[in-house]
Amino acid sequence: MAPVGRRGGGRPTLEEVAARAGVGRGTVSRVINGSPRVSERTRSLVQQAVADLGYVPDRAARALAGHRADTVALVVPEAETRLFAEPYFSGILRGVSAGLADHDMQLLLTLIRTTKERRRFADYLAAHRVDGVLLVSVHGDDPLPDLLGRMAIPTVLNGRRTAGETVPYVDSDNTGGAQSALEHLIGRGRRQVATITGPPDMYVAHCRLDGYRQAVRAAGHPEDDALVARGDFTEEGGRRALRELLARRPALDAVFCASDVMAAGARRELRTAGRRIPDDVALVGFDDSAIARHMDPPLTSVRQPIEEMGRAMAGLLMELITGGGEGGGVEVRGAAGAAGTVESAGAVGRTGSAGPAGAAGSADPVGPVGQAAPAGRHLVLPTELVRRESS
């Protein structure tokens, strides 16, 4: 049956909506696209006509008219094994999806692992098939952020490549989070505290190592490079690094891992070596993922607000795409508490063209929270230490 008040079948047109509402075609278009340049009475008439006729906007035509693809790409330059093995990525994806929910944007998930795949993605971008890019898991030598800049495509990074990052980003207080983990372990009387770092080509790994070293120095403990082992954010990498640490310093009594996934690998190796957790060796991770809560014993971990970061990335990207008109600012809510005792570290801050807005005082080596290069808007979110039985 055809919609009420409409002759014949087929899909209702914009012209038919305009005729029913008694307005011009352009007015209907403005109402559908949310323009404020329409009176409330006219808006009500058009909306009623849309409802009566069952009109559905032609997405492709609307995107073409507005020079928009109505699509955002979430790019992860990692292998599928990491994408599906690490809870971090699923948390970012949930947050991004939630952040885009009110913007009528499609989300394109893209894995880029080779130069060939990067070139193919560049061709896709050149065809104007996406309006903006969210880039997760940033490596220092990744050419993609600079490529996106040259193509003038709105881009937001999850994390950053260096302390002087100019591309807009959303990050967490990695240095402050690591400091809080070490302060906790040292405060519990641990004397030989080791750390398993992330990959050396990722700035996040350097920040967490800096936090470790700052806390060791602040406590008056000697810095010992033999207590530092390189990891790669994988479970096997954590196990391998813990094996190296035990060979160098058999008397170590605590380990701070730069991710929960690596902590899971370290735990397996400690069990193999006959070390009890936390009696012989205390263990702390980073992320506060489901892995931390389900380990035996439950893992003390530095919580970073992963889903909130994803939401903030989506909100910031929409501001860049729309020139600030649609994004309406970035709203970030604190992470929900998990079982365990929570201690906060760091502060929230952001910057834009108008300068800093938000709290200062992050322990991050780039300086005050939210301090940014003039080129973009940068946001750093706080971390929290969640104490559980492993420490």
Side-chain angles (χ1 to χ4, degrees), residues 17 43 51 94 140 174 213 226 289 306 308 318 330 351 364:
V17 174
R43 188 184 308 279
R94 286 194 300 272
N174 292 292
R213 286 179 166 152
S289 62
I306 299 173
E308 286 86 341
M318 289 308 303
V330 179
T351 64
D364 198 294

Side-chain angles (χ1 to χ4, degrees), residues 242-257:
L242 197 283
R243 194 178 306 128
E244 293 175 10
L245 289 169
L246 287 176
R248 295 181 206 156
R249 292 290 183 268
L252 66 83
D253 58 5
V255 182
F256 164 60
C257 299

Side-chain angles (χ1 to χ4, degrees), residues 145-146 149 155-157 159-161 164-169 373 375-378:
D146 293 330
T155 302
V156 176
L157 307 181
R160 47 195 141 155
R161 295 167 293 173
E165 181 63 73
T166 57
V167 179
Y169 64 76
R377 304 169 186 177
H378 300 168

Side-chain angles (χ1 to χ4, degrees), residues 6-230:
R6 182 171 179 266
R7 296 178 182 177
R11 182 173 177 169
T13 66
L14 200 69
E15 287 75 11
E16 289 174 314
V17 174
R20 184 174 184 85
V23 298
R25 185 180 187 280
T27 300
V28 174
S29 180
R30 284 193 292 274
V31 171
I32 290 173
N33 286 288
S35 172
R37 296 186 296 113
V38 181
S39 70
E40 284 304 316
R41 178 178 180 279
T42 300
R43 188 184 308 279
S44 178
L45 288 171
V46 171
Q47 290 172 341
Q48 186 60 53
V50 166
D52 290 345
L53 296 174
Y55 174 76
V56 178
D58 185 330
R59 184 185 188 94
R62 182 162 59 88
L64 183 62
H67 304 287
R68 290 262 297 270
D70 284 347
T71 300
V72 166
L74 177 63
V75 180
V76 183
E78 302 287 355
E80 302 98 320
T81 50
R82 277 204 66 196
L83 177 67
F84 295 110
E86 294 191 26
Y88 180 87
F89 294 114
S90 60
I92 288 290
L93 181 58
R94 286 194 300 272
V96 168
S97 297
L100 293 177
D102 295 331
H103 296 290
D104 197 24
M105 299 287 280
Q106 297 185 76
L107 183 62
L108 173 69
L109 177 61
T110 303
L111 302 184
I112 296 181
R113 296 143 294 189
T114 65
T115 301
K116 181 179 179 181
E117 290 175 338
R118 190 181 302 113
R119 283 198 297 265
R120 186 186 308 140
F121 184 61
D123 292 340
Y124 191 85
L125 296 174
H128 306 290
R129 294 179 177 174
V130 302
D131 298 311
V133 172
L134 299 167
L135 182 57
V136 181
S137 191
V138 185
H139 293 258
D141 59 352
D142 191 339
L144 191 55
D146 293 330
L147 172 65
L148 294 166
R150 289 194 298 271
M151 299 178 74
I153 295 175
T155 302
V156 176
L157 307 181
N158 175 224
R160 47 195 141 155
R161 295 167 293 173
T162 67
E165 181 63 73
T166 57
V167 179
Y169 64 76
V170 176
D171 203 354
S172 65
D173 182 11
N174 292 292
T175 304
Q179 284 181 311
S180 68
L182 265 292
E183 289 166 358
H184 166 68
L185 290 169
I186 292 170
R188 303 280 288 181
R190 305 292 172 161
R191 304 298 298 175
Q192 293 199 45
V193 184
T195 186
I196 299 176
T197 74
D201 66 339
M202 297 186 74
Y203 183 63
V204 60
H206 289 277
C207 289
R208 293 176 189 177
L209 180 57
D210 283 345
Y212 164 86
R213 286 179 166 152
Q214 289 175 26
V216 168
R217 288 194 297 269
H221 288 201
E223 292 188 64
D224 184 354
D225 287 341
L227 287 171
V228 179
R230 180 182 299 176

Side-chain angles (χ1 to χ4, degrees), residues 301-351:
S301 184
V302 178
R303 175 189 297 152
Q304 56 176 337
I306 299 173
E307 289 193 36
E308 286 86 341
M309 284 195 288
R311 281 201 297 271
M313 288 172 65
L316 181 51
L317 184 64
M318 289 308 303
E319 288 186 359
L320 296 174
I321 290 172
T322 63
E326 188 176 344
V330 179
E331 180 182 3
V332 182
R333 297 183 177 88
T341 304
V342 180
E343 299 173 352
S344 298
V348 173
R350 68 169 297 180
T351 64

